[in-house]
Each structure stands twice: as C-alpha cells, then as structure tokens.
Amino acid sequence: MAVVPKFVGERIKRREDPRLISGTATYVDDVRLPGTLSAVVLRSPYAHARINSINVDAARSAPGVVAVLTGADLKDKVGGIPCVAPAEHIPFHPLLAQGKVRFVGESVAVVVASDAYKAQDAADLIEVDYDSLDAVSDPEKALEDGAPILHEEFGTNLVTRALVPNPAVDEAIAKADKVIKFRIVNQRLAPVPMEPRGALADWHQALGHLTVWTSTQIPHLLRSALAAVLGLPENRVRVIAPEVGGGFGAKLNFYREEALVGYLSRMLGKPVKWIERRRENLATTTHGRGQITYLEVPVKNDGTVLGIKAKFICDMGAYLQLLTPAIPGFSGLMMTGCYKIPAMSFEQVMVFTNKMATDAYRGAGRPEAAYIAERTMDMVAGELGLDPVEVRRRNFIPKDAFPYTTCAGLVYDSGDYNAALNKALEIVDYPKMRAEQAEALKHGRYIGIGIASYVEICGIGPSAMLPPKVPGWESATVRMEPDSRVTVLTGISPHGQGQETTFAQMAADAFGIDIDDVTVVHGDTAIVQYGVGTFGSRGLSVGGAALMMSVGKVQDKLKKIASTMMEAPPDQLTFTNRTVALKSDASKSIPLQAVVDAAYGWKMPIPGMEPGLDATSVFEPTGCTFPFGTHISVVEIDPDTGVVKFLSYVAVDDCGNIISPLLVAGQVHGGIAQGIAQALYEEVVYDENGQLITATLMDYAAPRAQMLPRYELAHTVTPSPLNPMGVKGVGEAGTIGSTPCVVNAVMDALKPLGVRHIDMPLRPEKLWRAIKDAKKA
Amino acid sequence: MRVNLTVNGQPRSDEIEPRLLLVHYLRDVAGLTGTHVGCESTLCGACTVLLDGKAVKSCTVLAVQADGASVTTVEGLAKDGKFHPIQDGFWEEHGLQCGYCTPGMMMAAVDLLSRTTNPSEDEIRHALEGNLCRCTGYQHIIKAVQYAAEKMRAAAGR
C-alpha cells in the first residue's frame, strides 16, 4: 500500500469544491420538498410611519394564495426577535410591524401562495394606509431635543451608554507636548453575501416537529432562538444550514423571516419557503460599522503616544438584532492596537435611527478599532513631522512583553509586531519607494504609501467575555468507523471557509490515514452535537481545538488497545501510514484496522472498556488569540479625476501556525477586498428622511474584479500558546489591516496638498473636490 | 406558452407562463439548480449561462426569449465524467470559497475563453466585471481562468 503523506501545512485542494463547481451543491433555495408554498413579505416604503389600516381582502382572494398575515394576526401568538447583548433599552422586535414601521423595508405583511410569482402578485394588492412620521437617520441628530422618537415607551432614542473611564488619560492630556484631536467615521456597510438569506420550514404535524433549512452561520444558536420564539420544545426543532453562500457576519443572526416560515408551516401544515431578494438583502439584512468617533490623543514630541480618549456615536438602527449593542465594545477595547499606550478611556453612545439594525460584519468592531489606531499613528506622524514607520516602532509593544496586558485589560497572547512590519517594508523596498514618491511629486504625480500595523482579537473566550446565549466554546465529535475511516462532527458551521478540508487534514495526520478517509459533517442540529457556529475567526482556533481534544481521546483508546496487542506501553505508540507503530521503530507496527476491529469486536481486549471509538469534546478557550500583521499599499491619485490606482499591495499577516496555506491566502485575499471596499467604494446611504438610496447593486458599490489590485502575501509565524495547534485565526485579518492601510496611502498621497483627513469611502468625486479645493487655497 | 429549447444538449418542450424568467425555467422547470439567483437585476452575474454560446444573465432573460435556442448551464460543463478545464482551474487554484457566484463566474469565463485563448490579467478582470464575488477578492479566480486557458491551449495544440 502506498505511503500515506502528511497533510497539515501542505497545499491541499478543497474537499468542498467538486459539488460546488459541478452545480450539484444544495443551497436553501435548491432544497425541493413536494407541495412547498412560497412566502413573499410586504415591506414598508416609509422610514417611519403609523399604520392606520391594512386591507388584505384582494390579496386573500388572489389566485394561488393560501394565507395572508399582518402584525395583528401574530399579536401575542409569537415572541419577538431576541437581542442577547445587554442594553438599557431593548424594544420588542416583532415578526411583522405592530401599528408602526420604523425603517424602510420593515416587514408589514406576509403572503403565502403556490409559487413566488403569485405571492408577489397578491402582495401588490395589499393596501396599507400609512401616516408618515418624521424620521431620523443621522445618529448624532437622533439624540437632539425634538428628534423624532422611534420607540415612544423609552422617551429617548438612546439604546445604551457605555463608559470606560480612566483619569490617567486626562492627566496625560494635561501634561502632553501636544494633543491631537480629530473625528473619523466608519461608515455603514452592507455585508452582501452573494447568496441572499432564505429559509424553508417543514412542520410535521404527527411528530410535532419542525425542520428549518436556513442560510445561517449559527444553526444551533438559531434552533434555540427559534424554539423560544415559536414556543416549541428544542428537541422538536431541527435546523439545517445547508450550503451557505457567504455570511460575513450577516448570517450570525436570527431574523424575522426565519421565524415567520416556521410559524406559517405549522399553521398551514405545508412546507413554506422564503427567499430574500437583493433589494431586501440591502434593506433588511444587518448592516455593519456605523460609528462616528471623536478622538483626543496626547503625544510627546518624539511620537510617543501617551493615551487615547474617545467618544463614539454608534448607529444601531431601528431595532436590535442578536448582538447589535455588543459590537461597538470591541472597537473601544481594541483601539490601542499594537501599541504600549499607557492609558485609554472611552464613552460610547448607542442610538436608535430609522434604519436597518447594524450588527456583526467581517471584523465586527475590530476594523473600526484598527482604523482608529492606524489613522492615529499617521495623524501623529503628520502633526509631528515624523515618518509613520518610526512612530509605529516607537510605540509598539515589544516582543518580549508577551503575554501583554493592555491598558484596556485585554491579554494579548503573543506577537512580534516589528517582524511583520520589517518584512513588509523589505518587500516594498520602503526607502526606494519613498524616493520614487518624492521624484514623482516633482512631476505632479501624487503617489502615496500607506502602512497599517494591525492587531485583532479572535477565538473570543472564555465564554464569560460574550453574552450567555452566544458562548465562546465549541464542540467536536470524532468517530472512527468500523472500517477505520473517520467522521468528524463539528459544532462550527463553515460557509466558504473550508474546514471540511482543514479539519480533514488535521484528523488524517493524527491517525496516519489518508485525507480521503475523513469526512467532516456540520450544519445539521439533528446530526451534530450542540455547537456555537462560525464567526469571529474562531473556526480553527476554537473549533479545531475541540476537534483535537476528541482526536486525542480516540487516539488514547486506540493506543490502550494496541498496547495490549503489541505489548508496548501506550505512550510509546504513534499513528503512521495506517498502522499503530512504535515511536522509536516504525517497522514494529500493527495495522490500524486490526486495532479498530478489536475496539468494535465482541470481546474488548481490555476488560471493562466500552466498545466503540468515538469521543465528543468541548473546548473552552482560556483567552483570545491576537493575530496581527502589517499591510502596505502604494497608490497613485489621478488629480484630474480623483481615481485611486494601486501600484502595489503587500500584506504580511501573522495568524500563528498555518494548517492550509492555500486557504489562508484565500481568506486574506477576500478580507483585503472587503477592507479596500470600505476604504474606497462602499457605503450604505440613507437620505435625511431615512429613505434607502443604496438599495441595488447598481448603487451599492461592492467591488468588481477590475476595481481591486493584485495582492502580494507573506507571513511571519508567531504561534498562539492558547490552543494545541498554535493557530490564531485569519478570517477577518485582511479586512482589518486593509482599510486603514489604503486610507493612509491616499492621505499620504494628498499630504503635499495639505489634506489632513477625508472620511471614507474615498470615492473619486470626493478626492477630486479635495484636490481642487486644496489647489485653489 | 410552449417553448422548445435545448438545455445542455437535451431538447426540451415545456408549457410555461410568458413572464417566466429563464433562470426560474432552468431551476424550477428543468430542475437544474446549479444556476443561482443573486440580484434579479443583471448586476451580480450569479445566474450567468450560455445562450447559443454567449454569456447572458438568465435573471433578465425571459424563458420565451430562449425559444429555439441552446442553453448551457454549469451542469453542462463536464463531459464524459471529466471536469471542463475551467472547473479544474477553479478547483486547482482555490477560485471559490462559498461557491455561490462560481457557476456564473465559470460560464462568463468560458465565454471569454471562447473568444480569446490567451487573455491577459486585465482582459480577464474586464471580462468578469459583470460577475460579483464577495469571498475571493478575485485573485484566485484570475489564476483559475489562466489555468484553464493554458490547459485549453495545450489541448488544442497551440
């Protein structure tokens, strides 16, 4: 038999791909159940309005229509959508509007018909009599006297106020050589997974059992929430996340429609499917970011940063989704970045606005933090006339200081920030690039070099750091089947990340078997033990650690059994090439299959040992991992058009040990693309009346291939001590490093014109105006 | 209304509503769910199929407009149990993550490679500008198309 190779660390083609490239994968809308009815949701065209009456008579009698429901039909029959993060004011969040609508796109009625075309026809026949109310879309105006109040019961648009005070910051401000003050905005973004949301519910009357297929990142958490809202026992609800076409945080949630289809299927006794359209996706799937930050940064003249004081205004939207008010906290706690800043304090004011709720979007609070930290470093460099590289070096946490407790109380696990910065500088040839930049300027060419040295927080744990219903642990089951093939059941729910491949690599190496002999199963609550899900770059660092715990348990049992067969102590055995072998002499071995046969046999070799070969484990992280890196971009601005052209983009990321280099590259690429998109292109725009302007992909500028550069990647490797693989996580790193990197590059290019800061997105029109105004002045 | 068309080489004849979109015809009538709907407005390209060999967004083509035509979907790419070079390219170069844009992206790439055998990076980026991908940042998609182009040139002896 051929020698079984090692898989961890190798370039492995993905196990997921054959079904995806052949068109045979099954996303929610591809699930076909006989007799399925289609639901279409009628949505509010107003940002804020009172509903006087809804006439559904014509819709109810339209061809093919089975049911039409409004908020009145659901009142007191179902619960509301939960927000599990603490906040002073958490409004009731109904499945269908109750008397009032508070954002454009809010669900007002639902029509169920034999197909989606007929359901839409009927929805068009519903007459809603609205009284339009004044709306507020600017979060800073929402707290002003006389602002329209969204939820009258609170008498204010304040969601909650978070304070992390520290008098040391004010002392630093008093004694600083200089205090740099500025305001920056992390604009609202739309996650735009290519597969919009969708859900299919199938109620089985005789069993009293509900199955829901839904495009989600958290099938188990969603099962709990769904059972609670519908009043069903949790063991009678099965949630399946089939193929999921991207999430980016937007599907780390529980939405009205997921509950609606469950309610409707139970009511009608038939399967009911709802598939989101792109316009709905842009209006009613959670948005991300939406933070305004006022900063005061005391510094010494040599560039030493003495503190950061921040006030955040956080735009929560009209209702609170699962984690809405929890996201800004990460922005505050992480805003000191990779710097040994001795003091920080912040105040966060979270407010209701007449818009869709914000919540997690790739990075979830940390891109905002990195943007603050890295714009701060460039601001400091600019004000003091220092090189941005020098300012960073002066303030870096030194590599011998880890584990390092920041002034915010976070414990950074490991890091070597200079190493990543040095590597990136070397790749771009920094001194040469600066010389070229100066030379180009003489010819009227505006070239900018942008640096961002980021650190972020992943694999968040212990669980006490998170709301109780979204804990930080993860589960895994490893089962060695009677034919010595391995089945892995993981509690994470990958939707593009590729853990069917990485987990197979890890399990195959651990048991000395081929990667083809491992199957990874996820996303079905009836098959997989309770788990948490995929978000926050936790799949490998937490889910993979749980996997290795279960792997270890099965290995131990195999070793104990093999020990009796080989007459060698268990701790001297290893798994290689489909055998259990002596560590010291691999030629002394027995086939793995022989040990598996014994484990499943009628007579266990060790009296009292349970037959079978499976183990389930839960990994509770003792701390968070902190991936880091340096991104450098070189851009040129066309002064006549304001268009930003990339001359190069270099990313040096440190995600600890790398299991799958190909997949890490993919994660970094995609992350950079989304971060560049925030810097240059994307923004969810509501007008002052709360009308959504960016409701199509024509208006919302998700980038296309020719809008993005070629990325050059490199890595440093600083393992995390917090999990057995030494990994840190890489799902969000690219997004976090790239946004400040690109904004710093553009601002660097415009520095000769005296431009200090322009808020994102840095669209050509904005830059063109800034250049024109600067030249006029 | 009756439509007669060829889908992945198989002739079909179906009675349909005149307003039925081609993508819904393919998914719901022909049962080929490999073609995805991403925006219903021609902007994302997830639904791209070949109509008489040319890439079209099937979410904004009526099924009746395809009467008499030949349609190729992602399910029609593999031949004799072997992946098309573009499928091999996407697999080999990690040109996909969530996979939702992939069928449309591959069909647009096949259209490009039918017009030019050795496209430059810029030509590939330009040819795929009607197809959005949210996962990959496009770099591995470019490499996937280059991989396919090379294999196809080698197979054609060029």
Side-chain angles (χ1 to χ4, degrees):
Chain A
M1 202 185 274
V3 174
V4 179
K6 290 286 176 197
F7 298 97
V8 170
E10 300 297 319
R11 184 192 198 275
I12 305 290
K13 283 162 65 176
R14 289 207 318 173
R15 325 289 304 151
E16 292 85 343
D17 289 359
R19 65 178 187 263
L20 296 166
I21 56 177
S22 58
T24 54
T26 306
Y27 298 86
V28 172
D29 198 17
D30 304 336
V31 178
R32 301 291 148 122
L33 301 179
T36 297
L37 302 170
S38 285
V40 163
V41 176
L42 179 74
R43 299 184 180 280
S44 169
Y46 292 101
H48 201 189
R50 199 162 299 288
I51 299 172
N52 294 323
S53 64
I54 305 176
N55 185 343
V56 298
D57 294 348
R60 281 211 172 110
S61 55
V65 171
V66 179
V68 181
L69 298 186
T70 67
D73 299 308
L74 295 180
K75 199 165 168 35
D76 302 326
K77 289 186 183 154
V78 288
I81 295 299
C83 167
V84 301
E88 197 179 330
H89 297 135
I90 300 183
F92 180 69
H93 186 168
L95 305 191
L96 295 172
Q98 300 286 336
K100 200 177 155 183
V101 288
R102 295 179 175 86
F103 68 99
V104 166
E106 177 161 8
S107 50
V108 171
V110 60
V111 179
V112 185
S114 54
D115 68 53
Y117 283 58
K118 290 193 178 73
Q120 183 61 60
D121 287 345
D124 292 344
L125 300 174
I126 297 175
E127 289 169 17
V128 186
D129 179 18
Y130 292 102
D131 270 347
S132 176
L133 302 169
D134 286 344
V136 61
S137 59
D138 179 339
E140 293 192 284
K141 289 191 178 146
L143 288 179
E144 287 175 3
D145 287 342
I149 300 290
L150 274 81
H151 301 278
E152 290 85 351
E153 65 272 32
F154 305 137
T156 170
N157 288 325
L158 179 75
V159 173
T160 206
R161 197 183 293 270
L163 273 175
V164 178
N166 184 353
V169 179
D170 295 310
E171 287 161 26
I173 288 172
K175 70 175 190 205
D177 291 338
K178 202 165 197 177
V179 178
I180 298 167
K181 296 183 184 181
F182 58 107
R183 172 191 190 266
I184 57 177
V185 178
N186 270 281
Q187 77 274 32
R188 251 186 196 247
L189 301 175
V192 193
M194 290 317 300
E195 181 205 24
R197 294 185 292 122
L200 165 65
D202 185 23
W203 172 256
H204 195 298
Q205 179 61 37
L207 296 175
H209 184 277
L210 181 71
T211 305
V212 175
W213 289 259
T214 183
S215 189
T216 185
Q217 301 171 223
I218 47 165
H220 285 96
L221 304 186
L222 198 139
R223 184 188 73 179
S224 300
L226 190 61
V229 170
L230 297 180
L232 292 169
E234 210 168 326
N235 60 0
R236 298 287 176 85
V237 179
R238 176 185 187 184
V239 171
I240 301 173
E243 209 73 64
V244 172
F248 312 112
K251 295 173 184 173
L252 158 56
N253 228 309
F254 173 48
Y255 288 93
R256 297 176 180 211
E257 296 84 358
E258 289 169 319
L260 274 176
V261 290
Y263 182 86
L264 288 163
S265 177
R266 192 178 177 194
M267 178 181 119
L268 300 169
K270 290 203 165 156
V272 176
K273 183 189 272 185
W274 170 80
I275 299 296
E276 187 181 55
R277 299 176 197 165
R278 185 57 65 186
R279 185 177 280 269
E280 294 178 291
N281 177 261
L282 287 160
T284 73
T285 290
T286 53
H287 295 154
R289 320 281 191 261
Q291 294 182 7
I292 300 164
T293 313
Y294 292 87
L295 289 151
E296 289 179 64
V297 183
V299 292
K300 292 207 286 196
N301 282 331
D302 67 357
T304 305
V305 177
L306 302 172
I308 300 188
K309 183 175 183 175
K311 179 174 182 180
F312 293 78
I313 315 292
C314 308
D315 179 358
M316 301 280 96
Y319 295 90
L320 305 180
Q321 286 278 351
L322 193 66
L323 292 165
T324 300
I327 305 301
F330 293 110
S331 310
L333 294 173
M334 288 298 295
M335 71 180 177
T336 56
C338 28
Y339 307 104
K340 53 176 196 302
I341 297 172
M344 61 92 85
S345 69
F346 64 85
E347 177 187 8
Q348 293 184 325
V349 182
M350 305 181 206
V351 296
F352 290 114
T353 53
N354 290 107
K355 304 181 195 173
M356 180 57 197
T358 51
D359 205 315
Y361 168 52
R362 202 169 190 170
R366 295 104 77 206
E368 297 93 318
Y371 187 66
I372 291 168
E374 293 309 292
R375 285 297 295 138
T376 295
M377 288 298 138
D378 269 33
M379 286 284 187
V380 170
E383 300 265 336
L384 301 176
L386 300 169
D387 188 297
V389 172
E390 285 319 306
V391 174
R392 285 176 172 79
R393 283 200 209 288
R394 183 147 301 150
N395 291 289
F396 272 156
I397 298 162
K399 74 169 179 183
D400 56 10
F402 293 92
Y404 178 85
T405 304
T406 71
C407 60
L410 295 169
V411 182
Y412 289 4
D413 57 340
S414 62
D416 185 353
Y417 304 141
N418 254 312
L421 174 64
N422 288 342
K423 196 163 192 172
L425 292 170
E426 205 173 289
I427 294 170
V428 295
D429 198 343
Y430 187 65
K432 182 165 159 263
M433 211 54 239
R434 282 288 179 207
E436 283 182 27
Q437 177 188 30
E439 184 59 30
L441 187 61
K442 289 181 194 158
H443 301 96
R445 291 176 55 205
Y446 296 94
I447 289 178
I449 303 167
I451 300 163
S453 292
Y454 72 90
V455 60
E456 61 132 342
I457 178 170
C458 288
I460 291 173
S463 291
M465 280 186 74
L466 289 158
K469 287 180 177 171
V470 185
W473 52 263
E474 195 48 90
S475 70
T477 295
V478 170
R479 197 160 68 214
M480 186 163 275
E481 309 288 1
D483 67 355
S484 70
R485 261 75 174 214
V486 168
T487 302
V488 173
L489 311 178
T490 175
I492 66 164
S493 194
H495 41 283
Q497 291 84 355
Q499 273 93 2
E500 289 175 40
T501 304
T502 43
F503 282 13
Q505 288 173 265
M506 290 157 63
D509 279 9
F511 292 113
I513 58 177
D514 195 83
I515 194 168
D516 286 340
D517 294 336
V518 183
T519 294
V520 179
V521 180
H522 56 82
D524 185 340
T525 65
I527 298 175
V528 178
Q529 72 288 337
Y530 202 85
V532 178
T534 291
F535 53 88
S537 303
R538 67 194 302 279
L540 187 57
S541 67
V542 188
L547 166 67
M548 292 317 287
M549 284 172 75
S550 290
V551 160
K553 290 176 189 170
V554 174
Q555 281 181 325
D556 284 349
K557 190 165 182 181
L558 285 165
K559 282 181 188 173
K560 277 185 196 152
I561 297 167
S563 159
T564 67
M565 300 162 78
M566 297 173 74
E567 293 176 356
D571 63 1
Q572 287 180 27
L573 300 176
T574 187
F575 299 88
T576 180
N577 213 18
R578 294 195 179 90
T579 67
V580 182
L582 271 185
K583 276 183 192 164
S584 56
D585 180 2
S587 70
K588 294 205 173 92
S589 67
I590 54 171
L592 177 62
Q593 187 63 53
V595 187
V596 174
D597 287 344
Y600 276 97
W602 60 271
K603 188 174 173 226
M604 290 300 289
I606 299 172
M609 186 182 261
E610 280 179 52
L613 280 171
D614 66 355
T616 299
S617 310
V618 169
F619 179 76
E620 168 71 36
T622 54
C624 310
T625 61
F626 290 84
F628 62 92
T630 292
H631 289 203
I632 300 183
S633 60
V634 183
V635 303
E636 179 165 1
I637 322 292
D638 182 336
D640 296 327
T641 62
V643 168
V644 176
K645 184 179 142 194
F646 283 92
L647 303 181
S648 66
Y649 194 104
V650 171
V652 177
D653 295 286
D654 194 321
C655 55
N657 290 329
I658 291 176
I659 306 291
S660 187
L662 190 61
L663 273 59
V664 166
Q667 287 298 312
V668 174
H669 288 173
I672 293 172
Q674 285 180 338
I676 291 175
Q678 174 171 15
L680 298 183
Y681 306 123
E682 293 181 15
E683 180 176 29
V684 173
V685 180
Y686 286 88
D687 72 11
E688 66 278 12
N689 301 315
Q691 197 53 244
L692 178 62
I693 305 300
T694 50
T696 74
L697 291 174
M698 187 72 95
D699 309 296
Y700 189 81
R704 296 163 188 282
Q706 78 280 23
M707 295 159 73
L708 293 165
R710 194 189 305 181
Y711 328 106
E712 188 176 348
L713 308 190
H715 296 277
T716 56
V717 177
T718 310
S720 172
L722 299 179
N723 59 69
M725 302 81 65
V727 300
K728 288 188 170 227
V730 74
E732 295 151 298
T735 320
I736 292 165
S738 57
T739 305
C741 166
V742 172
V743 172
N744 283 347
V746 174
M747 292 309 137
D748 186 56
L750 300 183
K751 203 164 84 178
L753 292 167
V755 175
R756 183 173 182 244
H757 179 75
I758 303 172
D759 277 321
M760 302 181 287
L762 302 175
R763 284 191 291 253
E765 173 252 346
K766 258 193 216 174
L767 298 182
W768 178 79
R769 278 181 203 284
I771 294 165
K772 212 176 79 167
D773 292 349
K775 282 185 170 171
K776 229 187 279 172
Chain B
M1 252 183 105
R2 180 151 293 275
V3 286
N4 300 291
L5 65 166
T6 305
V7 180
N8 297 332
Q10 299 291 315
R12 295 186 58 96
S13 180
D14 296 285
E15 195 65 39
I16 58 164
E17 266 196 85
R19 63 173 174 172
L20 186 70
L21 297 170
L22 179 58
V23 69
H24 291 143
Y25 172 83
L26 293 168
R27 291 178 52 81
D28 301 335
V29 180
L32 297 168
T33 57
T35 302
H36 302 143
V37 184
C39 73
E40 319 89 23
S41 52
T42 326
L43 296 166
C44 84
C47 65
T48 306
V49 300
L50 300 183
L51 185 64
D52 286 334
K54 287 206 168 57
V56 298
K57 311 277 179 73
S58 63
C59 73
T60 34
V61 175
L62 294 168
V64 294
Q65 289 176 287
D67 189 33
S70 170
V71 177
T72 307
T73 70
V74 62
E75 291 92 342
L77 282 177
K79 289 277 180 295
D80 307 323
K82 277 209 165 109
F83 281 138
H84 185 284
I86 196 69
Q87 292 171 302
D88 280 330
F90 271 75
W91 193 9
E92 190 63 47
E93 298 295 346
H94 188 27
L96 62 148
Q97 290 176 32
C98 84
Y100 199 77
C101 76
T102 312
M105 197 67 83
M106 292 194 300
M107 300 317 285
V110 167
D111 176 292
L112 168 71
L113 295 176
S114 73
R115 290 181 277 117
T116 172
T117 57
N118 192 9
S120 66
E121 179 176 336
D122 274 353
E123 284 174 311
I124 297 170
R125 285 184 188 267
H126 183 68
L128 299 180
E129 71 180 354
N131 293 69
L132 275 177
C133 170
R134 197 63 164 163
C135 295
T136 65
Y138 301 102
Q139 188 149 315
H140 282 163
I141 290 178
I142 313 278
K143 287 178 87 171
V145 177
Q146 287 168 334
Y147 176 101
E150 194 186 320
K151 291 283 163 216
M152 288 165 77
R153 284 198 307 275
R158 279 181 294 222

